[in-house]
Amino acid sequence: MKAEIIAIGSELLTPHRVDTNSLFLTERLNRLGIEVTRKVVVGDRREHLAGSFREALERVELVMAMGGLGPTEDDLTREALCDVLGRKLIPHDGVMRAIEERFRRFARPMAENNRKQALVPEGASVLENQRGTAPGLWLEEGGRIVVLLPGPPNELQAMWPQAEQRLERLGAVRGGVRLYSRELRVAGMPESEAERRVAPIYTQYAGAQTTILASPGEVQLHLRVWSADPPAAAAMLNEMAERMALALGESLFTRAGESLEEVVANALNAQGATVAVAESCTAGLVAERLTRLGGSSTYFLGGVVCYSNELKSSLVDVPPELIEVKGAVSAEVAVALAQGIRRRAGATLGVGITGIAGPGGGSAEKPVGLVHIALSNGAATKERRFHFPGDRERVRWQASQLALDMIRRYFLFAGQEGKK
Amino acid sequence: MKAEIIAIGSELLTPHRVDTNSLFLTERLNRLGIEVTRKVVVGDRREHLAGSFREALERVELVMAMGGLGPTEDDLTREALCDVLGRKLIPHDGVMRAIEERFRRFARPMAENNRKQALVPEGASVLENQRGTAPGLWLEEGGRIVVLLPGPPNELQAMWPQAEQRLERLGAVRGGVRLYSRELRVAGMPESEAERRVAPIYTQYAGAQTTILASPGEVQLHLRVWSADPPAAAAMLNEMAERMALALGESLFTRAGESLEEVVANALNAQGATVAVAESCTAGLVAERLTRLGGSSTYFLGGVVCYSNELKSSLVDVPPELIEVKGAVSAEVAVALAQGIRRRAGATLGVGITGIAGPGGGSAEKPVGLVHIALSNGAATKERRFHFPGDRERVRWQASQLALDMIRRYFLFAGQEGKK
């Protein structure tokens, strides 16, 4: 089965917004064995929308469209689809009740235009939206399927299982060719080095597609195999992943597409360890990333964002003389921050970060991008010095990435470290 | 003049890659007065490519396509366009020489398939590529223009001025119609409420397009006018923005597309005020956002991420009895956090945040999404209770948004507050 995705919204035709919903949908459709053959972004003009639906329905069996289901005047997705299918919009009692209930629950007055969202094309099935007022819609016409989903990613993603269930029930998906994939991720290794190490491996597997994707401080390797034979696909992917893991060494942090946050959380939980952070240039980013997962209070105790020198001393016990002699951005202050926050919080590990995120504040000796990161377990403190390229945001992100990676690597070598 | 953009490459139909070239092209085209009415992503299949060119040429005068100009077998953009235009591919001496020269310069052997890149459609003009081997191509057919550019962003961007010069020379752009825009942003008001207030205004301006865009805790209003008369366009946009500002009241935080972070930074700087934050559920996100701009150390002193109750007491002086009696998530603890961090940091303003981000930790009395935010200036402390919808990430983001907005509103009403 082949699908096309239509992302709807005039804002997606400005220089300011990019459609990312289609990435989520592609991943989920591929898993079901459905290939995405085209993606279209179109604005909120009824005739443009209708044209896009018409063209897509001429080509493929499944059209996934998202956006333009809101309460405002420029939300015209339902109307345009009705134009193409020759159907009417009719009020749907269940949807109206759900919208009213939602406004009651959050004790907000309902605007009159929200009633528009309860209009659905004749014959459409409703996909419930637990996170917003715009329902999803499922329509069938002459053996073709159109699925309309709301544009906000959290609503679309929460609603996906309802669409998936219906797709799985269909004969078209039954054919058995599915997409199997692995995702390896690497921290602290440049893309060109990762490529150099894995290219001799993936070029030996003609049946698999390998895509290498780099973001600051991270390289992702996506291995994909379309197959009707699950054990054979799994065997090929396992073999490739195993060989690549050997080639990449300890920089590899997952073969299962986990985020660095997840891997660090699992390592801390497995050891029953806790962590606290003292951040200067990253200013809360490491704390925020360490707490992205629910239940993070089991391993994360807290932290200090010590932008001013006074707070470095008063909240994390960095001696003012040390700051004066070595400078706030120095290996010694990073070490003192790590040790100080560990002690103050009573944590297993303390992390200290100080650096120059830019654009100002750099000098010949201490340029923009210079960051010191320290990790202390009480018995020993490891300190590393980095010089990150890029702008303020990129420097801060890379620093947070390497701080998380130092925690991860600590547990890889926890045995050896203890002997120091 | 209207344009469509076609991004070509099977990797853009995977879950891992997003087309960003079109953002660059849209921005540059808009500046020339060219509107982008559709964007298409299509894989490297000749018939799919040809179909995309055919459809686009039926609709618009300018088709910008990028990608698929490389030397490999799956680079079929030129071939597909020739299918549609009924032209032949012929060798181009200048391009061949440029490719040979490039390989000589980098002392690399030229693969035989690079010769393919010297084939150009009959009648095409060549846009030189200084950064790679794939030349850009400019074709005209029956008053329509097709521009082919290479996919790598650095090559495409370096080549853009050649395409721009040709577009500027055209009668179509000569008309002088350009895009003028304003962006208004609102915090702490639901999209439907913002829409209710501004719809009676923008519906009176047929010459302007208004797009309403909502993200958690923020609504953006994009006003766009295509005009050949700059003063008239500015007058219309100013009038619309002025009327909308009155309708939106104090929830409006910018008419110039600034971020909430920028507006808060400007307010703090204008008053010579400083701020410090004590965060529980947002865990550093408010500190991180307050420091996204360079130079933030003039107004941001620091903060504490007090996930554990112990740190709430030891670092921010929240009385343990208060936490025991009222609970860590309570108005009283938010107030104590704001007052405590203000005092500890010696800041003008202290912000305290405590809440339940979820997914666990909620109860009937204190559900997931409940967040208390307090703002203290020493003389007085304001506390607000919110119940945010959505998942953990969304709850945390909305809490950070409302915390920043409370700082912004404080300065709107700083006069009155002082009298309390």
Side-chain angles (χ1 to χ4, degrees):
Chain A
M1 196 189 229
K2 295 192 195 312
E4 294 193 14
I5 297 176
I6 305 176
I8 296 161
S10 296
E11 72 279 5
L12 296 171
L13 292 173
T14 68
H16 315 299
R17 293 267 167 168
V18 63
D19 151 52
T20 53
N21 281 328
S22 68
L23 302 181
F24 171 86
L25 288 177
T26 300
E27 200 266 334
R28 298 305 163 103
L29 290 168
N30 286 174
R31 273 199 221 168
L32 293 171
I34 300 169
E35 188 185 354
V36 175
T37 53
R38 191 174 314 227
K39 305 200 291 189
V40 173
V41 176
V42 67
D44 302 295
R45 294 199 198 167
R46 193 155 166 172
E47 69 278 17
H48 288 189
L49 287 170
S52 297
F53 279 121
R54 200 171 287 121
E55 289 170 359
L57 283 167
E58 280 167 14
R59 286 188 294 247
V60 292
E61 300 158 79
L62 174 63
V63 178
M64 306 283 312
M66 61 266 187
L69 300 175
T72 70
E73 288 195 8
D74 55 5
D75 291 307
L76 293 166
T77 300
R78 281 170 299 228
E79 287 80 353
L81 183 59
C82 283
D83 292 345
V84 173
L85 301 182
R87 301 197 194 181
K88 282 190 188 133
L89 281 174
I90 52 177
H92 189 288
D93 290 346
V95 173
M96 193 65 242
R97 274 195 304 275
I99 294 173
E100 286 167 351
E101 166 58 25
R102 194 176 164 78
F103 277 93
R104 247 195 313 277
R105 188 148 37 101
F106 290 101
R108 288 188 188 154
M110 192 180 86
E112 191 52 36
N113 51 13
N114 279 107
R115 289 192 184 279
K116 184 183 142 185
Q117 296 185 293
L119 294 175
V120 310
E122 289 174 286
S125 306
V126 168
L127 309 177
E128 276 178 50
N129 187 348
Q130 305 282 358
R131 299 192 177 182
T133 51
L137 295 167
W138 172 286
L139 291 95
E140 299 185 23
E141 170 95 10
R144 311 259 151 155
I145 300 156
V146 182
V147 184
L148 304 183
L149 296 171
N154 68 322
E155 298 180 24
L156 175 142
Q157 291 177 20
M159 201 182 283
W160 170 254
Q162 296 173 63
E164 184 175 65
Q165 270 186 8
R166 286 170 173 268
L167 287 168
E168 280 193 321
R169 259 185 257 134
L170 286 176
V173 182
R174 197 182 43 198
V177 173
R178 303 250 165 157
L179 182 71
Y180 300 87
S181 61
R182 291 283 186 285
E183 183 181 343
L184 285 71
R185 296 187 179 193
V186 170
M189 181 184 280
E191 181 185 12
S192 54
E193 175 63 17
E195 163 78 21
R196 195 187 64 75
R197 295 192 188 197
V198 301
I201 299 165
Y202 70 70
T203 47
Q204 293 172 22
Y205 295 83
Q209 299 160 2
T210 300
T211 308
I212 301 180
L213 207 61
S215 60
E218 190 165 315
V219 177
Q220 302 176 358
L221 303 160
H222 297 271
L223 320 181
R224 293 152 58 96
V225 173
W226 292 89
S227 171
D229 181 348
M236 182 191 285
L237 288 169
N238 288 342
E239 188 183 299
M240 288 180 76
E242 180 64 28
R243 293 179 63 188
M244 287 183 173
L246 278 169
L248 294 165
E250 68 207 34
S251 295
L252 182 84
F253 67 83
T254 181
R255 298 184 203 187
E258 293 161 298
S259 66
L260 188 53
E261 289 89 337
E262 286 175 272
V263 171
V264 169
N266 291 342
L268 286 160
N269 277 332
Q271 301 291 322
T274 57
V275 65
V277 297
E279 304 178 63
S280 181
C281 63
T282 48
L285 183 56
V286 176
E288 189 267 313
R289 292 185 65 184
L290 282 168
T291 56
R292 284 192 183 175
L293 303 171
S296 50
S297 56
T298 58
Y299 54 83
F300 181 75
L301 299 183
V304 166
V305 179
C306 39
Y307 240 46
S308 72
N309 289 341
E310 291 70 27
L311 287 183
K312 288 183 180 71
S313 301
S314 68
L315 293 181
V316 205
D317 309 318
V318 180
E321 318 81 68
L322 189 70
I323 298 175
E324 199 166 313
V325 174
K326 301 293 182 180
V329 177
S330 61
E332 291 80 358
V333 167
V335 167
L337 286 170
Q339 294 173 339
I341 193 64
R342 198 195 73 85
R343 211 165 36 232
R344 283 280 190 126
T348 317
L349 298 175
V351 175
I353 306 177
T354 181
I356 300 163
S363 66
E365 199 197 346
K366 296 184 177 180
V368 168
L370 173 69
V371 179
H372 294 276
I373 307 179
L375 178 69
S376 177
N377 69 357
T381 303
K382 173 172 263 175
E383 189 274 333
R384 291 187 67 190
R385 180 184 184 281
F386 299 93
H387 186 193
F388 298 118
D391 63 11
R392 180 177 180 85
E393 184 186 353
R394 204 174 164 94
V395 168
R396 300 203 321 164
W397 181 263
Q398 290 173 98
S400 75
Q401 186 77 0
L402 272 293
L404 294 180
D405 198 47
M406 278 178 76
I407 301 173
R408 177 184 74 86
R409 288 177 192 247
Y410 171 79
F411 289 108
L412 287 183
F413 303 112
Q416 293 94 302
E417 288 291 319
K419 289 175 202 153
K420 271 195 190 164
Chain B
M1 195 187 228
K2 295 190 195 315
E4 294 193 12
I5 297 175
I6 305 176
I8 297 160
S10 296
E11 73 281 5
L12 295 171
L13 292 173
T14 69
H16 315 301
R17 292 265 173 172
V18 65
D19 150 54
T20 54
N21 280 330
S22 68
L23 301 182
F24 170 85
L25 289 177
T26 299
E27 201 266 334
R28 298 304 162 103
L29 290 168
N30 285 175
R31 275 199 220 166
L32 293 172
I34 300 169
E35 187 185 358
V36 175
T37 52
R38 192 175 313 229
K39 305 199 292 190
V40 173
V41 176
V42 66
D44 303 295
R45 295 197 199 169
R46 191 156 168 172
E47 70 278 17
H48 288 189
L49 287 170
S52 296
F53 279 120
R54 198 170 289 121
E55 288 170 359
L57 283 166
E58 279 167 17
R59 285 187 294 246
V60 292
E61 299 159 79
L62 174 63
V63 178
M64 307 283 312
M66 60 266 188
L69 299 176
T72 71
E73 286 194 10
D74 56 4
D75 291 306
L76 294 166
T77 300
R78 282 170 299 228
E79 288 80 353
L81 183 59
C82 283
D83 293 345
V84 173
L85 301 182
R87 301 198 193 181
K88 282 189 188 136
L89 280 174
I90 52 176
H92 188 287
D93 290 346
V95 173
M96 194 64 241
R97 275 196 302 274
I99 294 173
E100 285 167 351
E101 166 57 27
R102 194 176 166 77
F103 276 94
R104 249 196 310 278
R105 188 146 38 99
F106 291 101
R108 287 193 192 150
M110 193 179 85
E112 192 51 37
N113 54 10
N114 279 107
R115 289 191 185 279
K116 184 183 141 185
Q117 295 186 293
L119 294 174
V120 309
E122 289 173 286
S125 306
V126 168
L127 309 177
E128 276 178 51
N129 187 349
Q130 305 282 0
R131 300 193 178 180
T133 53
L137 296 167
W138 172 285
L139 291 95
E140 299 185 22
E141 170 95 11
R144 311 259 151 154
I145 300 156
V146 181
V147 183
L148 304 183
L149 297 171
N154 68 323
E155 297 181 25
L156 175 141
Q157 291 178 21
M159 202 182 282
W160 171 253
Q162 296 174 63
E164 184 175 65
Q165 270 185 9
R166 286 170 172 268
L167 287 168
E168 280 192 322
R169 257 185 260 137
L170 282 176
V173 181
R174 187 186 53 197
V177 174
R178 304 258 163 151
L179 181 70
Y180 301 88
S181 61
R182 292 280 187 290
E183 184 182 341
L184 285 71
R185 295 186 179 194
V186 170
M189 181 184 279
E191 181 186 12
S192 54
E193 174 63 16
E195 161 77 16
R196 194 186 65 74
R197 295 193 188 198
V198 300
I201 299 165
Y202 69 70
T203 47
Q204 292 173 23
Y205 295 83
Q209 298 162 3
T210 301
T211 306
I212 301 180
L213 209 60
S215 59
E218 188 165 314
V219 177
Q220 302 176 359
L221 303 161
H222 295 269
L223 319 182
R224 291 152 60 97
V225 173
W226 294 89
S227 172
D229 181 347
M236 183 192 282
L237 288 168
N238 288 342
E239 188 184 299
M240 286 181 77
E242 181 64 30
R243 293 180 62 187
M244 286 183 174
L246 279 170
L248 294 165
E250 67 208 35
S251 294
L252 182 84
F253 66 83
T254 181
R255 300 185 201 186
E258 294 162 297
S259 67
L260 188 53
E261 289 88 338
E262 287 175 270
V263 171
V264 168
N266 291 342
L268 286 161
N269 278 332
Q271 301 290 322
T274 57
V275 65
V277 297
E279 305 178 62
S280 180
C281 63
T282 49
L285 184 56
V286 176
E288 189 267 313
R289 292 185 65 184
L290 281 168
T291 56
R292 283 191 183 176
L293 302 171
S296 51
S297 56
T298 58
Y299 54 83
F300 181 75
L301 301 182
V304 166
V305 179
C306 39
Y307 240 46
S308 72
N309 289 340
E310 291 69 28
L311 287 183
K312 288 183 181 72
S313 300
S314 67
L315 293 180
V316 206
D317 309 318
V318 180
E321 318 81 67
L322 189 69
I323 297 174
E324 199 165 314
V325 174
K326 300 292 182 180
V329 177
S330 60
E332 292 80 0
V333 167
V335 167
L337 287 169
Q339 293 173 341
I341 193 65
R342 198 195 73 84
R343 211 166 35 232
R344 282 280 190 125
T348 317
L349 298 176
V351 175
I353 305 178
T354 181
I356 299 161
S363 66
E365 199 197 346
K366 297 184 176 180
V368 168
L370 173 69
V371 179
H372 294 274
I373 307 180
L375 178 70
S376 177
N377 68 357
T381 303
K382 174 172 263 175
E383 188 273 333
R384 291 185 67 190
R385 179 185 184 280
F386 299 93
H387 183 192
F388 297 118
D391 63 9
R392 181 178 181 86
E393 184 186 352
R394 203 174 166 95
V395 167
R396 300 201 325 163
W397 181 263
Q398 290 174 99
S400 75
Q401 186 76 0
L402 272 293
L404 293 180
D405 198 47
M406 278 179 76
I407 301 173
R408 178 185 72 86
R409 288 177 191 246
Y410 171 80
F411 289 108
L412 287 184
F413 303 112
Q416 292 95 303
E417 288 291 319
K419 290 175 200 153
K420 271 193 190 166

